[in-house]
Amino acid sequence: DALRTFLGGFKLPGEAQKIDRLMEAFAARFCACNPSAYPSSDAAYILAFAVVMLNTDAHNPLTDASMKMSERDFVSMAKAADATSGLDDEDVAAIYARVSANEIKMQHAGSMDGAGTATTPTKTKVSSTLTQALNFAAPWRHRSTLKDASDETAELLRSTKALFTKDDSASADAAASALFVRASEPGLARPMLDAAGAYMLSALASAFAAAPDEARAAMPLEGARAMLALASSLQLPTLRDDIRDFLVAAPGFGRQSSGEPAATQSKEALNTLLELVATESRLGGVDAWASALEIVSRLEELRVVVGAGVSFNTRHAVEVIRAPLRRAPTLATTTTPSMGSVGIDSDAAAQGLLTPAEVAVTSWLATSGGEAIERVFALSTRLDSDEIIIYASAIAAVSHDELWRADGTPVTPGKLFALLRLTEVAATNMTRVRLVWSKLWSVVADHLIEGVTHPDEKVVMHATDSLRQVANRLLSRARATRAATHHADAVRPFVSAMRCAPTEKARDLVASCVAQALQRFGETLGAGWEPAIEVLELAARDDGVVVVANTFRACAEPLANALAVAVSREGAAVDDDEYLGLPFTCVERAVRL
């Protein structure tokens, strides 16, 4: 009821970050007025967002009734986070019943028609705009589609089979005529693709392997890419996975173990794969994304090698192209492209030199190939709230493989291609709502903390600097929006990094990042002071003299200033929303430091 009153009083903006801030403000005020209603303002914030999503879904006239969010879906979504896991199921279900029965009317900004008259957007347009702004996943819309589609396919196949089992000639004539009508029913597409998909893929793989040039190789690759999109849309996961594995294997990277270099079609296959990864949203989970992103990371390494110019290290380039992949897909023999039949210089391959096809790949990377790689990561904002977490987890998995061997021993020197891209993706997606961003930040921070434990100092330096960069951007956003919760989220990973850092150099780097944050954001750090002070306490107890000296040399002034402000305000009647300095509960710990 409070949210209904709140949203009815103004025009809801169309930007996710503004909607996020409104929900945070609502949750904070609601909990201030009703301190015993929920365990924390985070619980009220998550529940408020769940209600907005439910209201949009339940009252959107274009959403089919069978695809709408159910009571069970709403309860599961609302209680998925730690902050709301303790909520009573019946209370959450009662909210679902009220919102489903009585729509929350939200005001929205209209547009101007040709005569300059303000127009009111339709309910459909409002729902669409809000859905696009939030970019939330709607897993309940795919809850039963696979089973329903499979059942429908089975029924269509039974009906078709029955046409061929009729004994009387009249029925046979009718059946024959029924077989030769235009297929305009969309439901027929799934059983057709399900029955013929494997054979079509085998034919495309054979056509690709036999293609004498890039133009002829492009056609079966585009056919496979179109099939993958259709298989995803029609809920054929096995076929989708087979097509994806074919497209990942087609470039021929990682074939050193079989003595088979990349084929003449490799450049075109790489171009298709990069376009697929840049535009497709659902490849099938973390492992599926990782198998494709591993090749993207391998291409980045190759780009660095050939970037040295005409005299680049050829042996290194050969190793990058042909070294076995950690996540190479396992293909059936019927879909495995035979790379050895067309256009391969076997003598050059045997001598460890680049073949003409591999030289073409290096030239392509210097032009359009490099741009295609950039698109893969720049377009990550298209992914919905669930898929972006899977995508980031896949990049983290690829980065883990670049830093650690399968037996857990470190790779030295470690490779940083995927780690730096993970940082870029985190920064690019920072405008997402906190409900999504906090999950993304957890994935990114966990991997960067793992990087801090690596024995290679270069990896440690980049991991800590990446933590600092993303945290500073998050703190800048928090200062602009005065979102107190973001401060603690930004600084908290440094506590774990400080605890896990194995060397004095690593701990000094982590502590220096926190010191810089205090110097820059100390006056508005708010709840971030608590984890920051915990890092300072760990630094004070550190065995390394350098860690202690450097940390407190950098932190002395911002810590003293924050203490002075906090002490001067203690006991005064101040609005907590207006004060984002050192919390009064941290004053004693700060004094001891």
Side-chain angles (χ1 to χ4, degrees):
D1 292 338
L3 188 61
R4 189 184 303 277
T5 302
F6 177 69
L7 293 176
F10 57 91
K11 296 175 181 178
L12 195 67
E15 299 176 28
Q17 196 168 346
K18 292 181 179 179
I19 298 173
D20 188 42
R21 183 62 185 128
L22 287 170
M23 292 298 102
E24 285 188 331
F26 167 80
R29 184 59 181 168
F30 182 86
C31 288
C33 297
N34 305 274
S36 60
Y38 295 107
S40 65
S41 60
D42 278 353
Y45 163 79
I46 293 169
L47 192 57
F49 246 120
V51 169
V52 170
M53 290 179 64
L54 170 62
N55 190 68
T56 303
D57 181 81
H59 301 287
N60 185 349
L62 291 185
T63 303
D64 188 83
S66 62
M67 299 298 179
K68 290 185 181 293
M69 190 190 310
S70 69
E71 179 184 298
R72 182 177 179 181
D73 295 326
F74 177 72
V75 173
S76 298
M77 177 181 65
K79 296 184 62 178
D82 291 339
T84 55
S85 59
L87 297 180
D88 184 74
D89 286 5
E90 293 185 1
D91 291 342
V92 179
I95 294 175
Y96 172 87
R98 291 201 300 272
V99 175
S100 298
N102 185 11
E103 179 184 2
I104 297 176
K105 304 291 185 180
M106 292 183 281
Q107 294 188 24
H108 295 269
S111 58
M112 303 297 290
D113 60 17
T117 304
T119 61
T120 302
T122 64
K123 183 188 294 186
T124 301
K125 186 174 181 180
V126 166
S127 297
S128 176
T129 301
L130 187 59
T131 301
Q132 290 175 3
L134 297 179
N135 198 12
F136 272 120
W140 54 87
R141 294 181 185 169
H142 308 283
R143 178 178 59 251
S144 59
T145 51
L146 179 56
K147 181 180 183 303
D148 292 344
S150 300
D151 292 345
E152 183 179 357
T153 297
E155 179 60 32
L156 283 169
L157 291 177
R158 281 194 295 269
S159 301
T160 304
K161 185 177 180 180
L163 294 175
F164 290 94
T165 58
K166 300 289 186 180
D167 294 329
D168 57 283
S169 58
S171 297
D173 292 340
S177 64
L179 290 175
F180 294 98
V181 296
R182 185 176 63 176
S184 58
E185 171 56 48
L188 294 173
R190 189 179 191 278
M192 292 169 63
L193 187 60
D194 192 17
Y199 303 102
M200 293 169 64
L201 178 58
S202 180
L204 291 172
S206 298
F208 168 73
D213 53 48
E214 294 175 6
R216 289 178 175 84
M219 291 186 286
L221 290 169
E222 281 303 308
R225 185 178 159 202
M227 274 185 66
L228 187 145
L230 191 57
S232 297
S233 177
L234 296 176
Q235 295 289 301
L236 291 169
T238 302
L239 180 60
R240 177 204 62 197
D241 294 346
D242 288 343
I243 300 170
R244 181 201 64 232
D245 289 346
F246 160 69
L247 291 173
V248 170
F253 268 48
R255 292 173 176 264
Q256 187 183 55
S257 57
S258 62
E260 204 174 359
T264 188
Q265 310 96 323
S266 184
K267 185 179 79 171
E268 192 61 39
L270 287 170
N271 201 40
T272 300
L273 179 63
L274 291 178
E275 187 64 21
L276 174 74
V277 178
T279 57
E280 183 61 41
S281 296
R282 297 187 179 274
L283 291 184
V286 174
D287 291 339
W289 275 105
S291 66
L293 290 169
E294 182 180 13
I295 294 181
V296 178
S297 187
R298 189 74 68 89
L299 285 173
E300 291 218 81
E301 183 179 2
L302 182 61
R303 185 165 62 160
V304 170
V305 173
V306 303
V310 178
S311 59
F312 65 84
N313 189 331
T314 303
R315 296 283 181 179
H316 190 181
V318 169
E319 180 184 348
V320 171
I321 293 174
R322 302 180 197 168
L325 297 169
R326 288 275 292 271
R327 298 176 180 272
T330 303
L331 297 179
T333 55
T334 55
T335 60
T336 304
S338 175
M339 298 297 184
S341 58
V342 181
I344 291 180
D345 187 342
S346 57
D347 290 336
Q351 296 171 18
L353 302 176
L354 289 172
T355 66
E358 291 166 342
V359 171
V361 170
T362 61
S363 301
W364 167 75
L365 278 175
T367 54
S368 59
E371 297 173 1
I373 291 174
E374 296 300 327
R375 274 170 46 83
V376 168
F377 302 99
L379 297 179
S380 62
T381 52
R382 77 188 188 282
L383 300 170
D384 66 29
S385 58
D386 286 347
E387 203 65 30
I388 187 61
I389 307 303
I390 294 174
Y391 180 77
S393 299
I395 301 177
V398 173
S399 179
H400 176 87
D401 292 346
E402 291 181 342
L403 299 177
W404 310 90
R405 297 184 181 88
D407 60 3
T409 57
V411 175
T412 51
K415 299 176 182 179
L416 296 164
F417 304 104
L419 185 146
L420 295 177
R421 287 300 188 179
L422 182 64
T423 306
E424 177 185 332
V425 168
T428 302
N429 288 272
M430 190 169 291
T431 55
R432 292 180 184 261
V433 298
R434 182 166 65 91
L435 196 60
V436 179
W437 166 251
S438 59
K439 296 178 183 178
L440 178 61
W441 178 225
S442 177
V443 171
V444 174
D446 285 350
H447 179 67
L448 294 179
I449 291 168
E450 182 185 41
V452 172
T453 67
H454 200 276
D456 187 341
E457 285 192 1
K458 185 178 180 181
V459 173
V460 175
M461 181 183 69
H462 279 282
T464 52
D465 188 61
S466 294
L467 269 176
R468 179 191 62 79
Q469 288 181 42
V470 181
N472 281 355
R473 292 190 65 166
L474 186 57
L475 289 171
S476 296
R477 171 186 170 183
R479 180 166 61 183
T481 61
R482 300 188 68 80
T485 311
H486 293 180
H487 297 99
D489 292 342
V491 182
R492 194 171 291 114
F494 291 97
V495 177
S496 298
M498 192 70 179
R499 294 183 186 277
C500 296
T503 64
E504 180 179 347
K505 177 69 173 177
R507 294 191 296 275
D508 186 41
L509 286 171
V510 173
S512 68
C513 291
V514 174
Q516 291 177 29
L518 293 183
Q519 292 171 352
R520 185 175 176 184
F521 303 101
E523 294 180 356
T524 58
L525 194 58
W529 268 104
E530 186 168 350
I533 285 180
E534 189 170 353
V535 171
L536 298 183
E537 290 171 339
L538 291 170
R541 297 194 296 268
D542 197 90
D543 295 333
V545 176
V546 174
V547 176
V548 178
N550 288 346
T551 301
F552 287 93
R553 186 183 301 115
C555 293
E557 183 176 351
L559 190 60
N561 292 340
L563 264 173
V565 173
V567 170
S568 67
R569 295 173 69 93
E570 190 170 9
V574 296
D575 187 346
D576 290 340
D577 290 337
E578 296 298 326
Y579 176 63
L580 291 175
L582 181 69
F584 303 138
T585 54
C586 295
V587 167
E588 185 177 346
R589 294 167 65 189
V591 169
R592 286 201 299 267
L593 284 170

